[in-house]
Amino acid sequence: MRLAGGESLGADLVINAAGPEGARVAALARAVVPLERRVGTFVVSRPVPVGLRHVVHAGDFHLRPDGGSRLAFHSLRFDGQVEAEKPPSLEHPVCAEALRLATPFLPVVGRVGVESFRLGVRPMPADSHPIVGFDPEIAGLYHILTHSGITLAAILGLLVTKELAGGEVPELEPYRPARFRQPG
Amino acid sequence: MYLGRAGIKCLVLERSGPAAEASGGNAGFIRYAHGLETGTVEFVKASLALLFELAEEGEAFDLVREGYLLVAPSWERLEHLRMLHGRARAAGLKVELLGAAELRALEPALGEAVTGGLCLADAGHVDPVRTTQAFVNRARRLGVEFRFGVSVDRILIDGGRVTGVEAGAKFYPAPNVVLAAGAWSKGLAAGCGLSLPVEPARGQMLATVSLPPLTRRVIRGPEAGLRQNPAGEVIIGSTVEFVGFDKGVDPATIKSLFEKGRSDGPQIERGRRRPDLGRFAAHDPGLSPHHRPCAKSQGPLAGHGPQPDRDVVRAGHGAGHRRAHQPGPDFPAYRGLQTGTLRRSRMRLISNRLAGTKIVVIGAGAVGAVAAYRLAQAGAEVTIVERRYPGGGTSGNSFAWLNSFRKFPRHYHQLNVRSIRTYPDLALGLGDEWLHPDGAIHWAWPPEPAAVEALRQDVRRLREWGYQVEVADPEQVRRELEPDLLIPPEVEEVYVVPGEGWLG
């Protein structure tokens, strides 16, 4: 692999865990992975004097503690209202909407306001399931790409290591990159 | 027994006879392993200390205290055992981590597939029926009255206080009621307006014909455990199946238990006679399928019911030894994984099979970082290349919930469940301040009929898949879990999913 600064790294194997950059990284090796970039957002409150511990799902509105007495709010509806990959602003209507949606469950939230509005870019495989395994075309290139990276990181780390150490991992069979190959 | 010892007048009502259900129909293992897994090891230690004390006083438990051997058929499992080893040492238990050769020296009959194991010296097994009978006899000597064949219909409450129980047409007055009805506790609690998170779980076991001596220890693989009783029978079991109160015996499950016992444990086919699967029969009182009470997190529930305030609620899974323990920790309903019990420990290499392999990982998000960490543990020379900084992309800007709730189809759901369950192991090597597996709460919102029904369907499907989702009423959630959370009055059903959570 050659890095942008000109340095070369020799390797027996390259793992593509580049998240939303996964398709671009694959393309550097002339490999193709069907992966979309999809914007995701969430809103974080200022410190609030409530002792929430669970992740709370009220329909498609989600709230959870975020450390430092802050709360985080998320809804897929927010994602649709955000312009792709522009730096988010606290003036964005989504911030006020998050407070409005949270207030029936935690009234104090309405009084403290929003501290930050965060934007991330999800790597979304074409069938929305993880892409894990050797690239079917390029030897030595191994992909681990999923939009559920937080939940799945722990098991994928173990299963990938098991596979690369010569073990059988039938659990990964539904997620092989080769499933996207066109017949013929 | 302990109430009797404390001089408290006590009447025990039992629908059939002593040890008729889970206390009789269980494998009889007494062990710390479950406590190590669930962060309740101090509780288990206290309980076993009482059990051993009773045995030393001459109670006939058929106690064999020669060790509990956890065996690992794979390196992943061995890594898990290393983690348990760390916890066991921290808890001051006599414990030894054994390689394959040491293990075979200890238990020459072990199967070939075993790669290593963990021996907890101060544990073993009892005859659960004899043990229960011994408790009953001792309690009687202490003045406790037992009435068998009396089926309790209701716990009676008046003005927010327990007044007694009703059985048949008869009223038994009592200022306090201890609910120890195992898998049936939930129904009795519901009858007096309490919601108790205890479900019946069917357990099936297999017993062989008498075999020559194979082992004195409990040998426990990842899926089944076995012991050999003084009569020479090898008891293999048991399953935990959430099938309600169905007591059917499933021959395929029994066969599979036999295979599991054979692969993880001593090679029982070396016996003079082959194990006889026909020995297992539903009419065999010691080995029929039983209903164990499974609480959330499989932990015991003990303490005063939240309302009314004078009755005592108690049920548990693992009655083989917890029965000997006096009231335990606070009512731990809805507690997920207990991160507070995790300890930092140095992870050792899980194997060296990737020694000398050079791997470059592109991306230091959660996925790339965990993969790099595990690969390095397996001996690979790993370099991570990251454009910004660790977690500088999606991982650091994610809502970061740990969730298996709406993950379909089943294989994908299961991958997510396994991953969430793997996190405590990962935290053990890395510190756990970032891991918050305190559970999730769901309700349909706005609570329109279509949304309520859709959520019910999701829950039904998840439960069919064996996923733990509990129904709770909103007031209970507020009282016990989230006192600051207002659940609007129009919400009637709330679902609680222990173990899910979020990462910081």
Side-chain angles (χ1 to χ4, degrees):
Chain A
M1 181 184 345
R2 186 170 305 129
L3 304 184
E7 186 189 347
S8 284
L9 283 176
D12 302 306
L13 181 72
V14 171
I15 293 182
N16 176 13
E21 302 294 326
R24 193 178 64 79
V25 164
L28 295 173
R30 297 199 176 84
V32 178
V33 286
L35 188 81
E36 259 185 49
R37 297 170 63 87
R38 203 170 286 176
V39 170
T41 61
F42 66 103
V43 171
V44 179
S45 75
R46 291 182 186 282
V48 193
V50 296
L52 195 71
R53 291 179 63 221
H54 291 69
V55 180
V56 175
H57 307 272
D60 72 349
F61 177 63
H62 316 288
L63 59 154
R64 65 161 173 83
D66 192 41
S69 298
R70 291 165 179 80
L71 299 171
F73 313 113
H74 168 67
S75 169
L76 280 179
R77 279 181 285 168
F78 298 172
D79 299 352
Q81 297 176 46
V82 177
E83 282 182 60
E85 305 188 29
K86 279 197 177 170
S89 145
L90 291 183
E91 305 303 313
H92 196 285
V94 158
C95 295
E97 192 184 346
L99 294 181
R100 184 180 63 75
L101 290 171
T103 302
F105 315 123
L106 295 164
V108 67
V109 166
R111 297 201 293 276
V112 298
V114 167
E115 183 173 281
S116 63
F117 178 28
R118 310 272 291 277
L119 186 144
V121 182
R122 293 192 190 94
M124 184 59 78
D127 60 2
S128 77
H129 283 165
I131 302 175
V132 187
F134 282 103
D135 189 278
E137 308 291 341
I138 309 295
L141 178 63
Y142 192 103
H143 304 289
I144 319 176
L145 299 165
T146 170
H147 78 282
S148 286
I150 294 290
T151 299
L152 292 178
I155 193 68
L156 291 179
L158 274 179
L159 293 177
V160 165
T161 301
K162 183 178 176 186
E163 173 166 60
L164 295 178
E168 297 284 323
V169 282
E171 304 94 320
L172 291 180
E173 283 314 311
Y175 311 114
R176 296 308 194 185
R179 71 183 186 273
F180 298 110
R181 268 176 159 174
Q182 298 300 321
Chain B
M1 185 176 76
Y2 287 108
L3 291 171
R5 185 189 276 182
I8 296 168
K9 193 178 171 211
C10 192
L11 169 69
V12 179
L13 300 177
E14 160 61 47
R15 185 171 61 163
S16 45
E21 288 289 344
S23 287
N26 77 72
F29 303 156
I30 51 170
R31 57 198 184 128
Y32 300 99
H34 190 70
L36 293 170
E37 297 271 8
T38 58
T40 56
V41 68
E42 291 304 325
F43 182 53
V44 175
K45 268 171 72 180
S47 185
L48 288 192
L50 288 168
L51 187 78
F52 295 151
E53 201 181 287
L54 292 170
E56 278 161 23
E57 288 170 24
E59 291 298 347
F61 296 156
D62 278 349
L63 171 66
V64 179
R65 196 173 161 184
E66 295 208 13
Y68 189 93
L69 196 58
L70 288 150
V71 297
S74 69
W75 61 264
E76 264 177 295
R77 186 69 192 166
L78 193 56
E79 186 62 14
H80 184 72
L81 296 189
R82 281 189 212 287
M83 183 270 289
L84 293 183
H85 179 243
R87 289 187 186 177
R89 287 187 58 167
L93 298 179
K94 285 183 212 160
V95 61
E96 208 178 347
L97 198 57
L98 304 164
E102 294 161 283
L103 200 59
R104 247 182 286 282
L106 197 68
E107 288 287 351
L110 272 176
E112 293 301 322
V114 172
T115 60
L118 188 70
C119 188
L120 287 147
D122 212 5
H125 51 92
V126 293
D127 180 323
V129 178
R130 293 198 72 185
T131 302
T132 309
Q133 190 62 56
F135 291 149
V136 170
N137 292 344
R138 193 169 175 117
R140 276 191 168 133
R141 290 200 299 273
L142 290 162
V144 174
E145 186 185 349
F146 284 78
R147 292 197 197 161
F148 295 113
V150 177
S151 183
V152 172
D153 301 316
R154 282 198 303 148
I155 299 170
L156 299 168
I157 314 273
D158 188 15
R161 287 189 57 145
V162 161
T163 55
V165 301
E166 191 179 273
K170 202 166 170 196
F171 173 57
Y172 295 83
N176 293 287
V177 171
V178 177
L179 183 53
W184 286 265
S185 300
K186 186 178 185 173
L188 281 170
C192 60
L194 288 173
S195 168
L196 202 61
V198 175
E199 299 294 339
R202 179 173 68 186
Q204 299 189 57
M205 287 184 297
L206 164 72
T208 68
V209 292
S210 290
L211 294 171
L214 287 164
T215 180
R216 298 269 295 161
R217 297 181 179 84
V218 172
I219 298 181
R220 172 87 215 182
E223 293 181 288
L226 60 83
R227 72 176 172 102
Q228 190 169 28
N229 67 20
E233 298 163 331
V234 177
I235 316 288
I236 307 171
S238 67
T239 58
V240 179
E241 301 162 71
F242 292 95
V243 291
F245 286 98
D246 178 7
K247 273 200 172 182
V249 179
D250 168 14
T253 303
I254 297 302
K255 187 163 188 300
S256 137
L257 274 174
F258 173 58
E259 292 303 331
K260 284 168 187 165
R262 194 170 59 171
S263 64
D264 295 338
Q267 295 176 330
I268 48 186
E269 67 267 57
R270 283 184 185 172
R272 274 191 299 246
R273 284 178 287 171
R274 289 185 64 82
D276 176 9
L277 294 179
R279 170 78 174 77
F280 183 90
H283 59 261
D284 182 329
L287 295 163
S288 60
H290 57 277
H291 290 124
R292 62 176 96 193
C294 265
K296 293 185 173 73
S297 314
Q298 300 206 349
L301 301 179
H304 286 275
Q307 188 189 29
D309 63 359
R310 289 298 303 278
D311 65 331
V312 175
V313 176
R314 170 135 189 238
H317 166 201
H321 51 82
R322 291 205 179 102
R323 180 171 282 264
H325 193 255
Q326 287 165 309
D330 293 334
F331 193 85
Y334 305 109
R335 281 169 68 185
L337 300 175
Q338 300 180 14
T339 52
T341 62
L342 297 177
R343 300 275 182 274
R344 281 169 191 272
S345 81
R346 202 172 137 263
M347 297 288 273
R348 291 188 228 170
L349 294 183
I350 41 186
S351 76
N352 264 328
R353 297 195 63 169
L354 287 172
T357 308
K358 287 186 178 172
I359 300 177
V360 172
V361 176
I362 304 173
V367 168
V370 178
Y373 175 61
R374 293 301 194 192
L375 290 164
Q377 283 184 315
E381 288 176 36
V382 186
T383 305
I384 304 187
V385 181
E386 163 60 48
R387 187 168 59 162
R388 285 177 285 223
Y389 51 89
T394 309
S395 292
N397 288 292
S398 160
F399 192 68
W401 58 18
L402 294 174
N403 120 68
S404 310
F405 197 80
R406 283 202 176 85
K407 302 280 179 95
F408 307 118
R410 189 174 185 173
H411 63 75
Y412 186 50
H413 166 76
Q414 283 170 335
L415 191 72
N416 282 269
V417 172
R418 262 187 82 185
S419 196
I420 291 172
R421 290 180 184 160
T422 306
Y423 266 104
D425 285 8
L426 190 62
L428 203 71
L430 305 173
D432 63 4
E433 60 280 357
W434 46 274
L435 179 60
H436 306 276
D438 296 306
I441 298 172
H442 290 256
W443 63 80
W445 187 256
E448 289 154 3
V452 170
E453 186 48 36
L455 184 57
R456 276 190 195 146
Q457 273 183 20
D458 285 342
V459 168
R460 210 172 296 136
R461 174 154 49 169
L462 288 166
R463 287 176 148 186
E464 277 166 16
W465 292 349
Y467 197 51
Q468 198 178 352
V469 182
E470 304 294 340
V471 188
D473 76 78
E475 175 52 26
Q476 186 190 13
V477 169
R478 192 197 60 73
R479 201 171 54 230
E480 296 179 23
L481 301 182
E482 294 288 2
D484 293 335
L485 188 65
L486 285 183
I487 303 177
E490 56 268 44
V491 174
E492 289 174 3
E493 272 178 5
V494 176
Y495 299 95
V496 178
V497 189
E500 295 199 350
W502 60 284
L503 300 188

